[in-house]
Amino acid sequence: MTGKILGTGSCVPATCWDNNKLAEMVETNDEWIKERTGIAQRHVAGKEETTATLAAGACKAALENAGVSAEEIDLLIVATVSPGMLVPCTACEVQSIIGADNATCFDMNAACTGFLMALNTAQAYLAQGIYRTALVVGAETLSNLVDWSDRGTCILFGDGAGAAVVRAESEDRYAQVTHSTGAKGGVLTCASANVNTDVKEMPNTHIQMDGGEVFKFAVSKVPEVINELLAQENLTADDIDCFVLHQANARIVGSVAKRIGGDAEKFPMNIAKYGNTSSASIGIILDELNRSGRLKRGSKIVLAGFGGGLSYGASLITW
Ligand code: COA
């Protein structure tokens, strides 16, 4: 038995900053950002909006879309690198907001591969028969981690949440391949403030990145892991109806599409509207595709995530 996605939901902050707004803060411009990244705007959390409230908004929308009540959820996993609180975990905060009182709740951090890793984890629990209905959500308030004076990073990221309700009721195969390369983790970092400053210097608690190295990693490893998954499942790119990639940069998605050899239309993008929302991006675009009617029941979809860790992976689902 594997988990079928019964419904999806997403939630983004009310405030939206276009590239011209960022050009008032750092030396950049709309043309450069659009050309190098494909990003036109990003949502930025206000005072009342936290990772937990965005996650809860996405979860409520996903439950409604699935026709499932909060009480029916028995596993709730939040993927995030930007929890508002370390304890309680964001998943427990979400549980309290949405009333998923019967759920077991925990957070996962796999950076931009987070949604994929959380879905894989939920699928493993469902396949074992441990839980029946899971709620998987990727949620971020990266605006709290971004150095708004660093034009190399602040233009890229955005806030938001995307969720999926997954129930063990399918006979279709769920397949996945994941990898991590901790030795290269230094190219994309964000330190925790949890340090004894009597002994150590305060580390940089903002996102720091060697953009070129991350770019090279993504355009080589993402096609590689997708091809590994397809080979494992005896499939070719032609058998796949849609490749839903983590939205980090339009040029990365375009390059992966070329290397995989699939029709470019099979690689949807929404990065122009949201920027890179890390753990949330796959859930948000999946929700848009679902609500637009693009995903047909029975179609084969490859999800692919990649980012800090470094970690990357691809999963095959049947819609
Ligand atoms: N606006 C204007 N100019 C900028 C700029 C900005 N926001 N950021 C950098 N530049 C400048 C650089 O200083 C450099 O100037 P120079 O040639 O005078 O030195 C020039 O633009 C080119 O910089 P470079 O870093 O080579 O640009 P790039 O084409 O590699 O694009 C990224 C930079 C960050 C957009 C790109 O490397 C990238 O997207 N990397 C992957 C990042 C990512 O996806 N991270 C998350 C992974 S989950």
Side-chain angles (χ1 to χ4, degrees):
M1 191 68 77
T2 58
K4 190 182 190 70
I5 295 183
L6 297 185
T8 58
S10 57
C11 178
V12 291
T15 302
C16 184
W17 288 356
D18 66 11
N19 293 338
N20 292 325
K21 165 82 179 171
L22 296 200
E24 293 168 12
M25 300 159 68
V26 289
E27 205 181 322
T28 191
N29 58 74
D30 180 52
E31 192 190 347
W32 192 97
I33 300 173
K34 279 185 182 151
E35 191 186 305
R36 303 288 178 120
T37 70
I39 299 166
Q41 60 174 46
R42 72 285 296 141
H43 290 259
V44 179
K47 262 191 181 168
E48 305 297 319
E49 291 163 320
T50 66
T51 299
T53 64
L54 294 174
C59 286
K60 281 182 193 165
L63 288 168
E64 195 181 336
N65 185 242
V68 168
S69 71
E71 293 77 22
E72 292 175 75
I73 300 300
D74 28 42
L75 174 65
L76 199 173
I77 307 177
V78 175
T80 185
V81 297
S82 52
M85 306 283 287
L86 289 178
V87 181
C89 65
T90 305
C92 281
E93 289 187 83
V94 174
Q95 173 186 38
S96 164
I97 298 170
I98 68 172
D101 298 338
N102 300 313
T104 292
C105 306
F106 59 88
D107 290 1
M108 288 179 62
N109 174 350
C112 302
T113 323
F115 187 89
L116 195 82
M117 299 282 197
L119 183 62
N120 289 345
T121 303
Q123 288 282 4
Y125 275 107
L126 300 182
Q128 289 297 311
I130 297 169
Y131 300 115
R132 178 163 181 259
T133 311
L135 188 45
V136 174
V137 53
E140 304 287 4
T141 46
L142 298 173
S143 57
N144 295 328
L145 303 180
V146 159
D147 174 355
W148 289 103
S149 67
D150 174 15
R151 69 176 183 173
T153 52
C154 75
I155 55 143
L156 292 173
F157 298 102
D159 298 340
V165 175
V166 192
R167 178 166 280 168
E169 63 174 42
S170 173
E171 294 303 329
D172 295 318
R173 188 165 153 69
Y174 179 83
Q176 53 112 359
V177 177
T178 51
H179 297 288
S180 298
T181 317
K184 293 195 175 157
V187 301
L188 179 49
T189 61
C190 183
S192 152
N194 176 23
V195 65
N196 181 349
T197 48
D198 288 343
V199 184
K200 286 186 191 153
E201 261 181 48
M202 187 66 191
N204 192 326
T205 54
H206 290 125
I207 295 171
Q208 293 187 292
M209 181 182 70
D210 180 336
E213 283 303 312
V214 175
F215 195 94
K216 277 192 263 173
F217 148 73
V219 298
S220 68
K221 292 299 178 187
V222 179
E224 208 173 285
V225 76
I226 291 175
N227 282 328
E228 190 182 345
L229 176 72
L230 294 177
Q232 175 189 293
E233 298 303 305
N234 284 318
L235 296 169
T236 70
D238 291 339
D239 298 315
I240 304 303
D241 298 292
C242 192
F243 294 85
V244 180
L245 269 52
H246 164 53
Q247 304 285 297
N249 183 319
R251 283 158 59 214
I252 293 177
V253 178
S255 167
V256 173
K258 266 197 196 136
R259 290 186 194 208
I260 295 294
D263 178 355
E265 282 187 3
K266 285 188 182 179
F267 291 76
M269 283 191 241
N270 66 358
I271 190 164
K273 290 192 282 180
Y274 305 108
N276 177 347
T277 57
S278 192
S279 305
S281 77
I282 293 178
I284 293 174
I285 190 166
L286 206 55
D287 184 45
E288 287 193 350
L289 294 168
N290 176 28
R291 285 169 194 265
S292 70
R294 166 86 189 268
L295 306 176
K296 307 282 177 236
R297 283 292 168 204
S299 56
K300 285 191 163 38
I301 300 165
V302 166
L303 309 177
F306 54 94
L310 298 172
S311 290
Y312 54 105
S315 300
L316 174 75
I317 60 174
T318 302
W319 192 254

